Amino acid sequence: MKELAGRLTALDPDAGAAVRVIAYFDTLAESRAGLEALVRGAAVLAGCPARLVDVERRVHVRVEPDGRRQDSDLPPDPDWPSAALVPDGVPALWLERAGAAEPSVVDAVILERAAGALRVVLDRTRGRAPLSPADDPALVETVLDPTAAEGARLHAARRLGLDPDDPAGRARAVAPFGGRPRILRVRREGGPADGAPRGRRGGRLAEGTSRGRQDGRPDDGTSGDRRDGWSGDGTSGDRRDGGPGHGASRDRWDGRPTEAELPGGRVGVGPAVPVLGLPGSWDGARTALRFTAGGSPQDLGERVVYADDLGGIALLAELIAPGAEPPPDVRDVERAAADSPWMLATLHAVASTASLRAAATGINVHHSTLQDRLTHAEALLGWPVRTPRGRLRLHLALTMRHLARG
Amino acid sequence: MSMIPPPFDPELAAALEALKDMLPQQLTMDDIAAMRQGPGIEMLAQLDLTMGGFFEVEDRLVPGPEGEPEISLLICRPAAPATPGPLPVIYHVHGGGMVVGNNRVGVDAPLAWARELGAVVVSVEYRLAPEHPHPAPVEDVYAGLLWTAEHADELGGDPERIVIAGASAGGGLTAALALLTRDRKGPRPIGQVLLCPMLDDRNDTPSAHQMAGRGVWDRTANETGWTALLGELRGWPDVSEYAAPARAKDLSGLPPAFLDVGSAETFRDEVVSYASRLWQAGGVAELHVWPGGFHGFDGFAPQAAVSRDCREAHVRWLRRLLGE
């Protein structure tokens, strides 16, 4: 009788469809189906990809409508229909349906039923967040505290699943805006992502690893370079190899967390350091956080900033205290911003793109319009923004404006 | 033996629950006419047999068994074969409990294989019971294979590389076809694909009892199908092995077989037993019992994880068989 009676594919948006959706998820829940089966159900019934992102529990599942699991590092589109796992929570389950102004009745039923079933499974299998020792605030605090005894920091690090005995092991401190500090293990080249090796435990295995390397086993180039590049305490800004600023050498670009591994909202990410260097990484992360932006028209800039990328610009953070009287150039920018609604976006585009042409494209105006605007802006600011020196001054002014706003 | 059957796989259980009002339940003789008008026909009309232009599609009338009407073959050939020379041929026998269906039913599965492997698909239409009891269906299926083997060149196919395949009733007819070609010294298929095949008219295995009243093709429906094919002979000792291959005494000398079945379906035990007997006869067989699968699960819920694994297994076996 195979295939005679029809298949479970995208359902028509009729009343019967909602009933079948409910029956589908209720049965999955009764038979204790896992996360992927639930997300797959949403994708199959909706006929578009579905994804679950639970940052707190580090869960990321994305399934195509044909049932294939295919995760993505790209952030969810805020316009997609979505549901939170808890009332008033952040969106966690999305149907990747572009251009849907209002979710259809069937989409709404799918989201509601799937989110309810997912919440139960997450609570059952992952515990209520925070679930892993990696989210234990007391342990994280100890590892990041430069005044804590070294032994206490090592002990806390081990309980967090970090391996201080691995000479190639690196981690980053992460500072979310308004959130608790986090620690992310740095992914080894070709190795598992952060979190996966958490279960590996105990000094014996770690000793074995380091002995293996001392015995002349070829180290992977990445970690070797890193080790050479970092001083013993790994404090940010304390490089002794005389190299260029952080992030300049190619090897530091890998081992960056994916979008999904980072918390949502504004995030500062510290440099990758050995375990005992994490207080320095935390300093770097907090500094980097001050350079992040919320993304509103009044607050343009990057949501995620790496301390590695700041270089000398980080020094500005020491000069500008949040809430202090802003320097004159910042006052000029504020005055110009008050003049025209396009001003901040235009200045930001000029400061953050490689050419005026790219800036014009970035804010969707004609090149000549941009030129007219900049003539106007230069008159208000009192200094040019189209010369190299003037552009640097603009960039610094915008950055200091950011730092002063806190 | 417990009368409590194995649980359905969670995703399959959910699909079954959502589809239950569209599925045949406990089919009886009186339901056959209604079933032939069911929603399946509409779905088949929507099936793109060219698979997005990959295949050239042709319906062809060819001679039936001697003295019987012509039969219709659905022929799907790659429009632009990637390899020169004759292509493998998949000879497909549709399902439908011996009582419903046509040569479009379930053909999307062999078309997907053929697209992957670069093969010709020939799907045969056969007369249905109860109007046409045994041996009409299997003789039509045999006649279609004879024509296909003799005219393979014409189709761009290789008569030495014909794989016969079918699901459910089509799987049973495929197994019978393998026995017939052996015994009549007819064309020699190089493999037989028996997907959840309907093999045993006795309908009294432990799984047939366990699944009574559950799933897609339960014991009642199975009895209806076999009775339509065999009439009052069903279940009696002298049923032909070309009707019910499980009756065959000798399973030696058959082409390599791929068999699969769900653990939660009527046919589980007869399929497992048939595979064992193929090995005991010195044959080559690969058997998959998909946990928690109901009858035809991969067709009803192709997106489920277990269905995806199942369908990949079909292609992997064919790849090995065809030496690719």
Side-chain angles (χ1 to χ4, degrees), chain A residues 358-366 373:
Chain A
T361 309
I363 53 173
N364 279 320
V365 299
H366 193 266
R373 286 186 177 186

Side-chain angles (χ1 to χ4, degrees), chain A residues 1-9 20-21 23-25 27-28 31-33 36-37 40-41 44 65-68, chain B residues 10-11 13-15 17-18 21-23 35 40 43 97 100 108 167-168 217 295-296 298-300 303 305 308 311:
Chain A
M1 299 322 307
K2 200 169 144 101
E3 307 189 35
L4 253 190
R7 289 178 177 189
L8 194 70
T9 51
R20 279 197 282 275
V21 167
Y24 190 88
F25 285 108
T27 311
L28 278 184
S31 43
R32 296 169 76 88
E36 189 177 311
R40 181 180 295 110
V44 169
D66 67 359
R68 236 169 348 125
Chain B
E11 286 185 273
E17 190 59 34
D21 52 342
M22 299 159 71
L23 293 174
M35 217 173 135
M43 282 183 35
V100 298
D108 56 323
S168 192
W217 182 251
H295 185 61
D298 62 306
F300 290 110
Q303 301 90 349
R308 298 177 54 80
R311 296 198 150 191

Side-chain angles (χ1 to χ4, degrees), chain A residues 1-7, chain B residues 8 12-13 15-28 35 96-97 168 196 207 210-224 264-267 292-301:
Chain A
M1 299 322 307
K2 200 169 144 101
E3 307 189 35
L4 253 190
R7 289 178 177 189
Chain B
F8 294 126
L12 300 182
L16 198 55
E17 190 59 34
L19 291 173
K20 68 177 174 191
D21 52 342
M22 299 159 71
L23 293 174
Q25 302 258 311
Q26 304 201 332
L27 179 79
T28 66
M35 217 173 135
S168 192
C196 51
S207 54
Q210 269 185 324
M211 296 307 299
R214 301 182 84 237
V216 168
W217 182 251
D218 83 332
R219 190 155 178 262
T220 304
N222 199 33
E223 180 173 321
T224 301
E265 73 161 291
T266 304
F267 293 158
F294 56 80
H295 185 61
F297 66 90
D298 62 306
F300 290 110

Side-chain angles (χ1 to χ4, degrees), chain A residues 146-158:
Chain A
T147 64
E150 194 172 298
R153 283 154 61 194
L154 290 173
H155 179 72
R158 290 198 177 92

Side-chain angles (χ1 to χ4, degrees), chain B residues 29-245:
Chain B
M29 282 296 194
D30 297 336
D31 303 324
I32 290 175
M35 217 173 135
R36 288 178 182 170
Q37 307 300 320
I41 304 303
E42 195 185 328
M43 282 183 35
L44 294 169
Q46 296 162 1
L47 184 64
D48 172 22
L49 293 171
T50 73
M51 302 278 276
F54 186 86
F55 293 106
E56 284 169 356
V57 178
E58 179 191 2
D59 279 297
R60 193 143 176 177
L61 281 179
V62 305
E66 202 173 336
E68 302 289 346
E70 288 184 307
I71 54 177
S72 171
L73 298 181
L74 169 70
I75 299 166
C76 302
R77 286 185 281 171
T83 51
L87 303 174
V89 178
I90 296 164
Y91 183 77
H92 173 251
V93 187
H94 73 80
M98 306 286 180
V99 294
V100 298
N102 59 35
N103 60 18
R104 264 69 174 164
V105 169
V107 78
D108 56 323
L111 286 177
W113 307 336
R115 196 191 160 135
E116 193 102 346
L117 302 162
V120 177
V121 173
V122 177
S123 185
V124 61
E125 184 111 355
Y126 54 86
R127 286 168 291 167
L128 298 173
E131 294 88 340
H132 303 282
H134 178 76
V138 74
E139 288 294 355
D140 284 356
V141 168
Y142 185 80
L145 179 68
L146 274 187
W147 185 90
T148 301
E150 282 163 15
H151 297 78
D153 300 348
E154 215 177 295
L155 308 179
D158 182 352
E160 304 299 319
R161 287 194 297 164
I162 299 176
V163 181
I164 58 178
S168 192
L173 287 165
T174 300
L177 180 61
L179 295 168
L180 262 186
T181 56
R182 176 193 67 181
D183 298 344
R184 291 181 181 168
K185 312 209 183 310
R188 296 303 313 262
I190 60 163
Q192 50 176 332
V193 180
L194 313 179
L195 307 177
C196 51
M198 178 176 174
L199 298 167
D200 195 342
D201 64 294
R202 289 163 293 195
N203 195 21
D204 63 353
T205 61
S207 54
H209 287 282
Q210 269 185 324
M211 296 307 299
R214 301 182 84 237
V216 168
W217 182 251
D218 83 332
R219 190 155 178 262
T220 304
N222 199 33
E223 180 173 321
T224 301
W226 282 114
T227 304
L229 186 73
L230 297 169
E232 292 181 353
L233 273 178
R234 187 199 72 78
W236 288 88
D238 43 1
V239 166
S240 162
E241 66 189 76
Y242 305 127

